[in-house]
Amino acid sequence: MYSEDDLLPLSGLQHMAFCERRWALIHLESLWAENLFTSEGKVLHQRAHSGDIESRPGILIRRTLRIHSLRLGLSGQTDVVEFYPAGTDEHGVLIEGHKGLWKPYPIEYKRTRDKAGSQAYRIQLCAQAMCLEEMLATEVPEGAVFDRSTRHRQLVAFDAALRREVERLTAHMHALYSARITPRAQYEKKCDSCSLYPVCLPKSMGTASASRYLKRAIAATLSDSGKPSENSDE
């Protein structure tokens, strides 16, 4: 069990699943860069995180629901959680102002589905479900990823293998955070679409820290222009 002070952002799991170096650059070195994909994704999430609560016949929709798990050491918020009436033989939760038990069904909004990121989406959604299970003391067997490009939902079953992957990546994330280690760069085809490519420099960085590399590059530029750098005694 982790304490509340040890909780890491759940949103980091999608970065960790895509690339552990990407996670470290964002969460250890505080580096970020926007591209078309991240900008579109931000707009989509802003719409989902409107804070609205909707009630329709047979369904209750909650947006921007704060969640956490002391077992996993994660905290964050969902895009959308739909609640459906539970059957007589199903687990569920009580919701104030509504009769009976309700089954939570988390939904993650994504700009599009791509081969490199689809697994990351499922992992993040499964982590949300595991947080809901711990908080609500109920079962969350499945959810969905909403694909904006097709405007269809992709069903995600939270099976044992997916849950083990969430636990593995979460433990690795905590280990890197505790050790403050930024993994070395290793170029793959998926790097070309990553918004952090200009600061990660996977074809040339090797084991270097991106933040240290940028500081050295700035210092060299200032030196070449005749201006003193931060480390200069002039």
Side-chain angles (χ1 to χ4, degrees), residues 45-163:
H45 277 78
Q46 286 173 346
R47 293 171 182 168
H49 292 173
S50 63
D52 295 337
I53 300 175
E54 301 175 25
S55 181
R56 304 174 186 173
I59 180 174
L60 178 65
I61 303 173
R62 297 293 302 272
R63 304 180 188 274
T64 319
L65 183 63
R66 298 295 304 178
I67 57 175
H68 69 273
S69 168
L70 296 180
R71 185 176 73 84
L72 295 173
L74 298 173
S75 67
Q77 64 184 23
T78 63
D79 283 345
V80 173
V81 179
E82 296 179 344
F83 290 86
Y84 294 91
T88 56
D89 59 342
E90 295 179 308
H91 294 275
V93 297
L94 292 171
I95 298 179
E96 185 177 357
H98 298 271
K99 296 181 179 179
L101 298 177
W102 297 77
K103 301 181 298 181
Y105 189 89
I107 301 172
E108 180 72 6
Y109 279 63
K110 291 300 178 184
R111 183 191 64 84
T112 185
R113 180 180 62 180
D114 63 310
K115 293 180 180 179
S118 57
Q119 179 65 6
Y121 300 162
R122 291 193 290 269
I123 288 170
Q124 181 170 330
L125 185 65
C126 183
Q128 294 176 11
M130 294 168 75
C131 288
L132 289 170
E133 288 178 333
E134 183 176 319
M135 293 173 61
L136 303 177
T138 190
E139 297 178 356
V140 185
E142 64 182 39
V145 173
F146 177 76
D147 183 345
R148 181 190 175 193
S149 64
T150 63
R151 303 197 66 81
H152 286 120
R153 294 182 179 185
Q154 304 157 17
L155 173 67
V156 180
F158 306 132
D159 57 24
L162 187 56
R163 291 170 183 268

Side-chain angles (χ1 to χ4, degrees), residues 216-234:
R216 289 198 299 268
I218 293 172
T221 301
L222 291 174
S223 178
D224 291 342
S225 64
K227 298 179 181 179
S229 67
E230 291 181 348
N231 298 322
S232 174
D233 294 330
E234 296 179 10

Side-chain angles (χ1 to χ4, degrees), residues 12-45:
L13 269 179
Q14 65 171 320
H15 301 302
M16 178 65 73
F18 180 81
C19 170
E20 62 178 11
R21 179 173 171 83
R22 175 183 172 89
W23 175 87
L25 292 176
I26 295 171
H27 294 276
L28 296 183
E29 302 196 27
S30 300
L31 297 175
W32 180 249
E34 292 281 2
N35 64 11
L36 174 64
F37 303 130
T38 59
S39 297
E40 289 183 353
K42 181 183 295 185
V43 171
L44 186 63
H45 277 78

